Amino acid sequence: MRIRGLRKGYQVSGRCHEVLKGLDLDLADEGITVVLGRSGCGKTTLLRLIAGLDLADSGEITRQETEDLSVSSFGEEQRTETAKRAKIGVIFQEPRLMPWLTVERNILFGVKRKKQDRKKLSRLLELTGLGGFEKARPCQLSGGMQQRVALARALAFEPDFLLMDEPFAALDYFTRAQMQQELLRIYRTEKKGILFVTHSIEEALTVGTQIVILENGICGKSYDLRDVPFPRDLLSEEMVERKRELIWRIEEQEPGDLESTWIKKGGNDK
């Protein structure tokens, strides 16, 4: 998926506050692209525009369909065209489950009845670790389990691409770490492109195959981690150095004359 010249502004107290200012970004069809940045830098706005939940002021999103490039501008007609060409699954910060429905009914909520398949449902329950909880209600599940249901619901839609907006932010440290590993396991199984929004540098280093820093309404820096194997030890010297460099970038402080371990070991700093 390719994004070019994306702009979006909001009216605040009678003035236009421009959040995205001509953003360019390439998203791998089989990778986890993590978008990092300060609060209010436009991470969620970017996700909403890709999902079609909001309309951009200008710019375009293109997606490769077999050998043809499908182009989406913005407006009501173009939003319908995007939906025909690319199925987007969205996972929000909160699970947003229907409290009166069981786990299995929540998972199948967005699937047309004629397309519901018990074998596919069983596979999703097994894939997300929800086996045995089919008849449970959301109030009977922990926060981590509820997010598993939200993930299974997004996968039941059979999307081409997944958008995740800080899906583990509300979880405790240990549950969050477990869900990150679950996401990587599912990613290796499903091989879908994922755009993952977070404010946590540790989370970005844990799950990302590409890390993009969003600053001043554009993508400032991009780091390629495809050659770094999973699982990753964040306490290793190499990963600590990578974290230090990301902090420098987000704080807009250059590392000076220090040649980071990341760059020495082949990190791709664009």
Side-chain angles (χ1 to χ4, degrees), residues 168-184:
F168 311 140
L171 304 178
D172 65 81
Y173 173 83
F174 297 102
T175 304
R176 185 171 187 165
Q178 181 184 17
M179 289 302 298
Q180 290 165 357
Q181 296 307 313
E182 287 295 308
L183 172 64
L184 291 174

PDB file of all heavy atoms in Angstrom, residues 168-184:
ATOM      1  N   PHE A 168      -3.112  -2.672  22.643  1.00  0.00           N
ATOM      2  CA  PHE A 168      -2.740  -3.264  23.927  1.00  0.00           C
ATOM      3  C   PHE A 168      -2.432  -2.203  24.987  1.00  0.00           C
ATOM      4  O   PHE A 168      -1.928  -2.536  26.069  1.00  0.00           O
ATOM      5  CB  PHE A 168      -1.516  -4.179  23.752  1.00  0.00           C
ATOM      6  CG  PHE A 168      -1.642  -5.159  22.613  1.00  0.00           C
ATOM      7  CD1 PHE A 168      -0.554  -5.443  21.796  1.00  0.00           C
ATOM      8  CD2 PHE A 168      -2.850  -5.787  22.350  1.00  0.00           C
ATOM      9  CE1 PHE A 168      -0.665  -6.343  20.749  1.00  0.00           C
ATOM     10  CE2 PHE A 168      -2.980  -6.695  21.298  1.00  0.00           C
ATOM     11  CZ  PHE A 168      -1.880  -6.964  20.490  1.00  0.00           C
ATOM     12  N   ALA A 169      -2.725  -0.946  24.709  1.00  0.00           N
ATOM     13  CA  ALA A 169      -2.329   0.151  25.593  1.00  0.00           C
ATOM     14  C   ALA A 169      -2.976   0.063  26.974  1.00  0.00           C
ATOM     15  O   ALA A 169      -2.382   0.480  27.974  1.00  0.00           O
ATOM     16  CB  ALA A 169      -2.662   1.489  24.948  1.00  0.00           C
ATOM     17  N   ALA A 170      -4.191  -0.468  27.047  1.00  0.00           N
ATOM     18  CA  ALA A 170      -4.913  -0.492  28.316  1.00  0.00           C
ATOM     19  C   ALA A 170      -4.602  -1.736  29.160  1.00  0.00           C
ATOM     20  O   ALA A 170      -5.114  -1.860  30.273  1.00  0.00           O
ATOM     21  CB  ALA A 170      -6.423  -0.413  28.064  1.00  0.00           C
ATOM     22  N   LEU A 171      -3.765  -2.621  28.641  1.00  0.00           N
ATOM     23  CA  LEU A 171      -3.480  -3.871  29.343  1.00  0.00           C
ATOM     24  C   LEU A 171      -2.304  -3.702  30.303  1.00  0.00           C
ATOM     25  O   LEU A 171      -1.445  -2.833  30.105  1.00  0.00           O
ATOM     26  CB  LEU A 171      -3.166  -4.978  28.337  1.00  0.00           C
ATOM     27  CG  LEU A 171      -4.239  -5.253  27.274  1.00  0.00           C
ATOM     28  CD1 LEU A 171      -3.763  -6.337  26.320  1.00  0.00           C
ATOM     29  CD2 LEU A 171      -5.561  -5.647  27.926  1.00  0.00           C
ATOM     30  N   ASP A 172      -2.254  -4.546  31.324  1.00  0.00           N
ATOM     31  CA  ASP A 172      -1.117  -4.507  32.236  1.00  0.00           C
ATOM     32  C   ASP A 172       0.129  -5.032  31.520  1.00  0.00           C
ATOM     33  O   ASP A 172       0.052  -5.624  30.445  1.00  0.00           O
ATOM     34  CB  ASP A 172      -1.401  -5.340  33.494  1.00  0.00           C
ATOM     35  CG  ASP A 172      -1.559  -6.822  33.184  1.00  0.00           C
ATOM     36  OD1 ASP A 172      -0.538  -7.514  33.045  1.00  0.00           O
ATOM     37  OD2 ASP A 172      -2.720  -7.282  33.058  1.00  0.00           O
ATOM     38  N   TYR A 173       1.290  -4.808  32.125  1.00  0.00           N
ATOM     39  CA  TYR A 173       2.565  -5.098  31.475  1.00  0.00           C
ATOM     40  C   TYR A 173       2.655  -6.542  30.993  1.00  0.00           C
ATOM     41  O   TYR A 173       3.028  -6.806  29.844  1.00  0.00           O
ATOM     42  CB  TYR A 173       3.721  -4.806  32.439  1.00  0.00           C
ATOM     43  CG  TYR A 173       5.070  -5.224  31.912  1.00  0.00           C
ATOM     44  CD1 TYR A 173       5.781  -4.397  31.038  1.00  0.00           C
ATOM     45  CD2 TYR A 173       5.621  -6.462  32.259  1.00  0.00           C
ATOM     46  CE1 TYR A 173       7.021  -4.788  30.542  1.00  0.00           C
ATOM     47  CE2 TYR A 173       6.851  -6.858  31.757  1.00  0.00           C
ATOM     48  CZ  TYR A 173       7.541  -6.022  30.897  1.00  0.00           C
ATOM     49  OH  TYR A 173       8.755  -6.415  30.399  1.00  0.00           O
ATOM     50  N   PHE A 174       2.308  -7.495  31.850  1.00  0.00           N
ATOM     51  CA  PHE A 174       2.482  -8.903  31.506  1.00  0.00           C
ATOM     52  C   PHE A 174       1.483  -9.355  30.442  1.00  0.00           C
ATOM     53  O   PHE A 174       1.836 -10.105  29.528  1.00  0.00           O
ATOM     54  CB  PHE A 174       2.361  -9.762  32.773  1.00  0.00           C
ATOM     55  CG  PHE A 174       3.435  -9.474  33.778  1.00  0.00           C
ATOM     56  CD1 PHE A 174       3.163  -8.693  34.894  1.00  0.00           C
ATOM     57  CD2 PHE A 174       4.721  -9.943  33.600  1.00  0.00           C
ATOM     58  CE1 PHE A 174       4.169  -8.406  35.818  1.00  0.00           C
ATOM     59  CE2 PHE A 174       5.731  -9.667  34.508  1.00  0.00           C
ATOM     60  CZ  PHE A 174       5.450  -8.888  35.625  1.00  0.00           C
ATOM     61  N   THR A 175       0.235  -8.879  30.544  1.00  0.00           N
ATOM     62  CA  THR A 175      -0.762  -9.225  29.533  1.00  0.00           C
ATOM     63  C   THR A 175      -0.397  -8.603  28.196  1.00  0.00           C
ATOM     64  O   THR A 175      -0.559  -9.220  27.137  1.00  0.00           O
ATOM     65  CB  THR A 175      -2.161  -8.751  29.965  1.00  0.00           C
ATOM     66  OG1 THR A 175      -2.471  -9.300  31.246  1.00  0.00           O
ATOM     67  CG2 THR A 175      -3.219  -9.190  28.961  1.00  0.00           C
ATOM     68  N   ARG A 176       0.110  -7.371  28.243  1.00  0.00           N
ATOM     69  CA  ARG A 176       0.518  -6.691  27.016  1.00  0.00           C
ATOM     70  C   ARG A 176       1.647  -7.454  26.329  1.00  0.00           C
ATOM     71  O   ARG A 176       1.617  -7.663  25.109  1.00  0.00           O
ATOM     72  CB  ARG A 176       0.966  -5.270  27.346  1.00  0.00           C
ATOM     73  CG  ARG A 176       1.308  -4.420  26.140  1.00  0.00           C
ATOM     74  CD  ARG A 176       1.524  -2.984  26.550  1.00  0.00           C
ATOM     75  NE  ARG A 176       1.695  -2.112  25.405  1.00  0.00           N
ATOM     76  CZ  ARG A 176       1.608  -0.796  25.469  1.00  0.00           C
ATOM     77  NH1 ARG A 176       1.332  -0.200  26.611  1.00  0.00           N
ATOM     78  NH2 ARG A 176       1.785  -0.054  24.377  1.00  0.00           N
ATOM     79  N   ALA A 177       2.641  -7.886  27.104  1.00  0.00           N
ATOM     80  CA  ALA A 177       3.747  -8.648  26.533  1.00  0.00           C
ATOM     81  C   ALA A 177       3.253  -9.953  25.916  1.00  0.00           C
ATOM     82  O   ALA A 177       3.706 -10.364  24.840  1.00  0.00           O
ATOM     83  CB  ALA A 177       4.795  -8.929  27.608  1.00  0.00           C
ATOM     84  N   GLN A 178       2.304 -10.603  26.587  1.00  0.00           N
ATOM     85  CA  GLN A 178       1.735 -11.843  26.052  1.00  0.00           C
ATOM     86  C   GLN A 178       0.998 -11.591  24.748  1.00  0.00           C
ATOM     87  O   GLN A 178       1.135 -12.359  23.782  1.00  0.00           O
ATOM     88  CB  GLN A 178       0.786 -12.463  27.084  1.00  0.00           C
ATOM     89  CG  GLN A 178       0.165 -13.770  26.626  1.00  0.00           C
ATOM     90  CD  GLN A 178      -0.842 -14.317  27.620  1.00  0.00           C
ATOM     91  OE1 GLN A 178      -1.318 -13.607  28.497  1.00  0.00           O
ATOM     92  NE2 GLN A 178      -1.169 -15.589  27.485  1.00  0.00           N
ATOM     93  N   MET A 179       0.218 -10.507  24.685  1.00  0.00           N
ATOM     94  CA  MET A 179      -0.545 -10.199  23.475  1.00  0.00           C
ATOM     95  C   MET A 179       0.377  -9.832  22.320  1.00  0.00           C
ATOM     96  O   MET A 179       0.077 -10.112  21.153  1.00  0.00           O
ATOM     97  CB  MET A 179      -1.539  -9.083  23.757  1.00  0.00           C
ATOM     98  CG  MET A 179      -2.706  -9.502  24.644  1.00  0.00           C
ATOM     99  SD  MET A 179      -3.654 -10.884  23.948  1.00  0.00           S
ATOM    100  CE  MET A 179      -4.258 -10.152  22.428  1.00  0.00           C
ATOM    101  N   GLN A 180       1.492  -9.196  22.613  1.00  0.00           N
ATOM    102  CA  GLN A 180       2.460  -8.887  21.555  1.00  0.00           C
ATOM    103  C   GLN A 180       2.993 -10.160  20.919  1.00  0.00           C
ATOM    104  O   GLN A 180       3.116 -10.257  19.686  1.00  0.00           O
ATOM    105  CB  GLN A 180       3.605  -8.050  22.137  1.00  0.00           C
ATOM    106  CG  GLN A 180       3.206  -6.637  22.515  1.00  0.00           C
ATOM    107  CD  GLN A 180       4.224  -5.962  23.407  1.00  0.00           C
ATOM    108  OE1 GLN A 180       5.223  -6.573  23.806  1.00  0.00           O
ATOM    109  NE2 GLN A 180       3.996  -4.699  23.727  1.00  0.00           N
ATOM    110  N   GLN A 181       3.299 -11.146  21.752  1.00  0.00           N
ATOM    111  CA  GLN A 181       3.788 -12.417  21.222  1.00  0.00           C
ATOM    112  C   GLN A 181       2.688 -13.166  20.477  1.00  0.00           C
ATOM    113  O   GLN A 181       2.950 -13.834  19.467  1.00  0.00           O
ATOM    114  CB  GLN A 181       4.354 -13.271  22.358  1.00  0.00           C
ATOM    115  CG  GLN A 181       5.581 -12.669  23.031  1.00  0.00           C
ATOM    116  CD  GLN A 181       6.678 -12.307  22.037  1.00  0.00           C
ATOM    117  OE1 GLN A 181       7.030 -13.091  21.158  1.00  0.00           O
ATOM    118  NE2 GLN A 181       7.213 -11.102  22.166  1.00  0.00           N
ATOM    119  N   GLU A 182       1.443 -13.046  20.958  1.00  0.00           N
ATOM    120  CA  GLU A 182       0.319 -13.658  20.256  1.00  0.00           C
ATOM    121  C   GLU A 182       0.144 -13.025  18.876  1.00  0.00           C
ATOM    122  O   GLU A 182      -0.129 -13.714  17.882  1.00  0.00           O
ATOM    123  CB  GLU A 182      -0.965 -13.505  21.073  1.00  0.00           C
ATOM    124  CG  GLU A 182      -1.032 -14.402  22.289  1.00  0.00           C
ATOM    125  CD  GLU A 182      -1.074 -15.874  21.914  1.00  0.00           C
ATOM    126  OE1 GLU A 182      -1.917 -16.271  21.099  1.00  0.00           O
ATOM    127  OE2 GLU A 182      -0.218 -16.628  22.425  1.00  0.00           O
ATOM    128  N   LEU A 183       0.303 -11.701  18.822  1.00  0.00           N
ATOM    129  CA  LEU A 183       0.190 -11.007  17.536  1.00  0.00           C
ATOM    130  C   LEU A 183       1.251 -11.505  16.563  1.00  0.00           C
ATOM    131  O   LEU A 183       0.951 -11.762  15.382  1.00  0.00           O
ATOM    132  CB  LEU A 183       0.334  -9.499  17.736  1.00  0.00           C
ATOM    133  CG  LEU A 183       0.420  -8.658  16.453  1.00  0.00           C
ATOM    134  CD1 LEU A 183      -0.876  -8.751  15.659  1.00  0.00           C
ATOM    135  CD2 LEU A 183       0.741  -7.199  16.776  1.00  0.00           C
ATOM    136  N   LEU A 184       2.470 -11.675  17.036  1.00  0.00           N
ATOM    137  CA  LEU A 184       3.547 -12.161  16.163  1.00  0.00           C
ATOM    138  C   LEU A 184       3.260 -13.586  15.687  1.00  0.00           C
ATOM    139  O   LEU A 184       3.519 -13.924  14.528  1.00  0.00           O
ATOM    140  CB  LEU A 184       4.884 -12.105  16.906  1.00  0.00           C
ATOM    141  CG  LEU A 184       5.429 -10.707  17.185  1.00  0.00           C
ATOM    142  CD1 LEU A 184       6.686 -10.783  18.048  1.00  0.00           C
ATOM    143  CD2 LEU A 184       5.733  -9.975  15.878  1.00  0.00           C
TER     144      LEU A 184
END
